[in-house]
Amino acid sequence: MTYKSFSSEETIKIGEQLGRELKPNCAVLLYGEMGAGKTHFVKGLALGLGISSNVTSPTFALVNEYDGEINLIHFDLFRMNTPDDLYATGFYDYIGRGVIVCEWSENVQCLENEFESYYKVEINKIGENEREIIINAYTRS
């Protein structure tokens, strides 16, 4: 599915729609340049999962966990490149504990192999406020 967003509020709403569909143990892999709106999208995912916590970027913490009926585990992979980097963050300990969301998924090429099912979300800057958001679902068989 491809969506157009013209504000951060619309990006949050699109994320919220996807959040309502998420099941435990799936992942959302986010792709997009700096300032594309990835964290706003995650705010929407949290709302869709019924999480009312203030979602912030895990840039310095590397991971933020938000408790809900289904937990949301939010990773920033900006400084990651390898499975060893993921291991050092405790990434693999979080698998199976809720929905895992990864910003900067393009930095770790093996990431898509870590999940049975995941959504790939590409957020492309079209203009100052305009975004194209492409969401695809994948299941390994």
Side-chain angles (χ1 to χ4, degrees), residues 24-135:
N25 305 322
C26 77
V28 178
L29 308 181
L30 298 170
Y31 298 77
E33 66 183 277
M34 187 81 66
K38 294 180 295 290
T39 301
H40 281 98
F41 191 85
V42 177
K43 289 179 183 192
L45 292 175
L47 289 171
L49 288 168
I51 296 170
S52 59
S53 299
N54 182 33
V55 172
T56 59
S57 175
T59 300
F60 299 106
L62 300 180
V63 62
N64 291 334
E65 187 169 0
Y66 302 98
D67 294 330
E69 192 172 308
I70 300 173
N71 293 338
L72 176 68
I73 300 114
H74 182 193
F75 280 90
D76 184 308
L77 304 180
F78 185 74
R79 293 179 214 74
M80 305 293 141
N81 294 301
T82 67
D84 289 339
D85 291 339
L86 288 177
Y87 182 80
T89 68
F91 178 84
Y92 296 99
D93 295 331
Y94 286 97
I95 294 177
R97 292 180 43 192
V99 171
I100 293 181
V101 179
C102 299
E103 293 192 31
W104 297 103
S105 294
E106 59 267 37
N107 290 356
V108 183
Q109 298 302 316
C110 67
L111 196 57
E112 295 174 358
N113 298 327
E114 300 300 331
F115 305 100
E116 292 297 320
S117 65
Y118 65 93
Y119 290 87
K120 182 176 181 179
V121 178
E122 298 175 62
I123 304 176
N124 302 306
K125 289 171 78 170
I126 305 300
E128 184 159 337
N129 295 313
E130 185 179 356
R131 304 291 184 266
E132 176 187 61
I133 301 172
I134 304 166
I135 302 173

Side-chain angles (χ1 to χ4, degrees), residues 12-30:
I12 291 169
K13 290 281 186 202
I14 294 165
E16 185 176 2
Q17 289 173 14
L18 178 59
R20 288 191 202 109
E21 296 178 25
L22 296 177
K23 306 286 185 238
N25 305 322
C26 77
V28 178
L29 308 181
L30 298 170

